[in-house]
Structure formats: C-alpha cells, structure tokens
Amino acid sequence: MYAPRAMPVRHRLLPDGHIVVTGAAGDFAFFDSDEFDRFRTFPHRLDLRKQADLRARFLLTDGAMSRGMQRLLASRIAAKRETVTAGPSLHIIVPTLQCAHSCQYCQVSRSLDDNGHTMSLSDLNAACDTILESKSNQLTVEFQGGDPLLRFDLVKHAILRIREGAAANRRIRFVVASTLHQLDDAMCAFFKEHSVYMSTSLDGPRALHNANRPTPGRNAYERTLAGIQLAREKIGADAVAALMTTTKASLAFPEAIVDEYVRQGFREIFLRPLSSYGFAKRNQNLLGYSVQDFLNFYRRGLDRVMYWNQRGLELREVYASILLNKMLSTFDAGYVDLQSPTGAGSSVLVYNYDGFVYPSDEARMLAETGDRSLRMGRIGESLNELFNSPVRQQLVEASDVRFMSDCLDCAYNLYCSPNPVDAQAQHGTMNVAAGTTEHCQRHTALFDAIFSTLRTADEDTSALLHEWAQVRETCANA
C-alpha cells in the first residue's frame, strides 16, 4: 500500500494568513500553516476527510496515477484552454468614431464629422465575410465606436449580410455598444427582429455620470435612461445591459453606484477599472488612481452587491463572476484578458474603421495615439493570414504562462495570464516582467480577495458565488 503524497502544486499566502494551494487543473484547497506543513511533508497525518477531499481535487495521490486518471486530468486542463483553441468567437466591428460625447476617460479620439472616421462599405463587406470564416459554432458580433447608432445604416447592413451568409444552425449574437441617445422606434424594430442586444454606459447617479460623460446639453444621464427605457419597451426587458467605468471621482461612491444599478432595474454590475489606453492615458493626473485605491473601491462595491443579495434582490457582480468562473468551473467562459495564451488576436478580432484588423479593442485604441505596432493586417485578409501574422505570434509568445518567469510558480497560473496589449500601452513593449504590470498586480489582489471571501463564506454566500461562476456570455465578452 502506497503512502499518500502531495502532487505538484503552487501555493500563495493570503492576506488573512491562510494558504491557498492550487493544482494542475485549477483545483484548490485552503490550509492553515500547520496543515500546510503536514501536507508537504507528512500528508498521511492529515485528517482522513481532508485527505479524501485533496485526492478528489488532484492535490494528493496514493502512488502512481492510473492511466484513466491521467486522461481525466489532461481533459480538465484542456477544457480550461478551449476558448483560445476554438478560434475567434468575438468579432468587433468599429463602423465609425462619430460620437456626441466628450468623455474624460475615452480611449479614442471622436468626431461629429464622419470624414475619415467611418468605415467604407467595401471594408465592411470584407469584415463580414472574414467573420463568417470563423470555425466557432457560436459567434458574438459587437459594434463599437464612437457611437455605432450614428451610422445605423452600416450596422444594419452588416447584420443583414452576416445573417444571410451564415448557416441556418449557426448561433450568432449581435451586440451594439451605444450611448442609446440616437435610439428610435425604427432601430428598435430592426433590433428586435434580429435579436440584437444593446450595451450602454452608466457610471452611477446623475451627478457622477454627467461629470464623467459630458454632452453639450449636460443631460447625458437623462438621455441614457430614456434610451434604456425605450430599448426595454420595444426590444425586450432583458435587451439592454450597462457598464460603468471607475474614475478617480467614482472611488468615494461605490455604494451609490451599486444602488443606482438597483434603482434602474439592472441585475448585473461590472465594477470595472479605468483602462489607460490611447487618449485616456493623457488624463491620468485627473482620472488615475492606484491598484490599492481600486481594490478598496471594489471591496466596498462587492460588499454592497452582497448586501442586496442578502435582502432577496438578485444582483451579480460581473468581475467576481469572471474570477469565480476561472476558479470554480470546469469550463472557462473565455474572458479575453485572462486567457493564456492571450485571447487577443486568437478568440477576438477587431475590424476598425481605418481598414485594419487589431487583436483587441484596446489595441485599436493605441493606434489612435500613433502606436500602430499591433495591427495584424488589413481588412479583407483571410483568417489564416491574420492568425499567421507576426503580431499574433508575438502576442502568443508574450502571454504563455508556461514560459513566463513571473508566472511559473504563481498559484494563479491557470486562472490568469499576462496582458501583452496592456504591457505595450504602459511600457511600449509586450515583453516586460508580468509582475511589474498594473494588470498583474490588480488581478493578483483580486484573486486574493475572492479566495478569502470563498474561504469564509457561509452556506448561502457559497451557493451564490458558485452560481455566479456558471458560464455566461457576459463573462466572455465583458
């Protein structure tokens, strides 16, 4: 009879003094310091129930692993990588940069003039045809801007072309990201007919939203709410989702922001940090804040979300759901920024108004300030050509945790990934030590916080967190 022994694992000391241990397939367990010492040296001295639990999690074994268990472990690891290997499933079309807003944190230049800021019809047709080359059975086609509704004619044309060219059994989900200020009954009728979802920005209560997202009439908040109401009435009650962006002005109001989402009838909120890309990077003195500032804001916001759930109101925090999906689910929802190798250029492609294809929305934002190093190719090139482009190969090499020194021994190795696009934006190169990037520091702290929450969760909270971990499309496309 073989004595139990610990399998190869990674571990991390959490801020609360406990230790989290993670295995090859992403299973994990918590230990106090004494238990952890026994686990590493004399695992047979652990409580028998603890030993059984660790075996089930591929953290403890009795001798050599059987061939069947080896296949099961390999299959579970492969399932975690499936969204990257399945091909591009998220395709973003940027038909125009036109927008009436002048948001302080906007990452791109914007203009009311469509001259030079709008995609040509030939490029739009070519982008649609490239999208249909994707082998993925489920596609999401998202229209970004600017504000795509200012060129509804192009959005409508693209949706019809993709619908006509797609196989009858292919599942295609369309999303239009807009302020909704231009939304009208005719647009709603078309969107309803083609099952199009709307996504908008709501940064919080009136004063905060209007400060972050100024318009000439200073009534951005009222017009956004009117657009949300129209979409719900004409397209469907669940046809519109909202996203917020955390600026320096937001940091003092996490509870008020969460309460605003509750007041407006939303059942999800994404407590999303500011992205320092493109033109937003120039406003860092006005808008920026530290990782710790965001973490403090996030914890308070998450506590407020829990407050509402404890009172019987269903409200999901999307960032936590993304991390919990990584930690608790066998199947990865495919959040682009935490894929290894990166989902940028592999599971997502962006067809920009300028006639070029980029690996992510953030990469095309960099191009607006002159850094065009992440262009994968021209619109009209085949998926095979885009996938074999030098840019995509560089992205893959700069985000494979198997070869990144800062990631090799990290307990969150299977949940996370370096973000080469973020590194390019912050440091001017993709090849930097992951631990020096804001992306790594923020997600390490967030995983710490979520693991600590899981460890101390009561039965009801644990059930809620496991429910949040279930695969949902908003996780994949957030």
Side-chain angles (χ1 to χ4, degrees), residues 18-34:
H18 284 76
I19 296 165
V20 61
V21 168
T22 60
D27 300 280
F28 63 87
F30 298 110
F31 296 84
D32 61 30
S33 57
D34 290 340

Side-chain angles (χ1 to χ4, degrees), residues 87-129:
S89 57
L90 173 59
H91 298 263
I92 298 173
I93 298 175
V94 184
T96 183
L97 280 191
Q98 289 179 269
C99 185
H101 281 65
S102 54
C103 303
Q104 295 179 355
Y105 56 69
C106 186
Q107 295 97 341
V108 296
S109 61
R110 57 269 181 196
S111 172
L112 285 173
D113 178 13
D114 69 351
N115 184 29
H117 298 97
T118 297
M119 183 180 286
S120 69
L121 190 59
S122 60
D123 277 346
L124 182 61
N125 287 337
C128 294
D129 295 343

Side-chain angles (χ1 to χ4, degrees), residues 26 69 87 124 143 259-261 266 271 297 303 310 317 359 414 440 443 465:
M69 291 299 286
L124 182 61
F143 297 89
D259 290 355
E260 179 68 23
Y261 273 68
F266 288 105
L271 297 171
F297 167 87
D303 284 346
Q310 290 162 3
E317 202 287 302
L414 198 62
C440 175
H443 284 100
L465 297 178

Side-chain angles (χ1 to χ4, degrees), residues 2-9 38-44 46 51 54-55 58-65 70:
Y2 294 102
R5 61 181 177 84
M7 293 186 67
V9 296
R38 289 199 298 274
F39 168 72
R40 288 195 297 181
T41 54
F42 304 107
H44 63 281
L46 290 168
Q51 291 185 43
L54 295 174
R55 289 187 184 92
F58 294 98
L59 301 175
L60 195 67
T61 184
D62 297 316
M65 188 183 294
Q70 289 175 9

Side-chain angles (χ1 to χ4, degrees), residues 6 143 183 235 264 360:
F143 297 89
L183 189 67
I235 306 174
Q264 301 307 330
S360 70

Side-chain angles (χ1 to χ4, degrees), residues 309-325:
N309 278 279
Q310 290 162 3
R311 278 149 186 79
L313 184 119
E314 181 182 342
L315 182 65
R316 186 174 74 111
E317 202 287 302
V318 175
Y319 215 157
S321 295
I322 291 166
L323 303 185
L324 288 163
N325 173 260

Side-chain angles (χ1 to χ4, degrees), residues 427-439:
H427 301 280
T429 175
M430 294 186 239
N431 299 305
V432 299
T436 66
T437 66
E438 187 272 344
H439 173 85

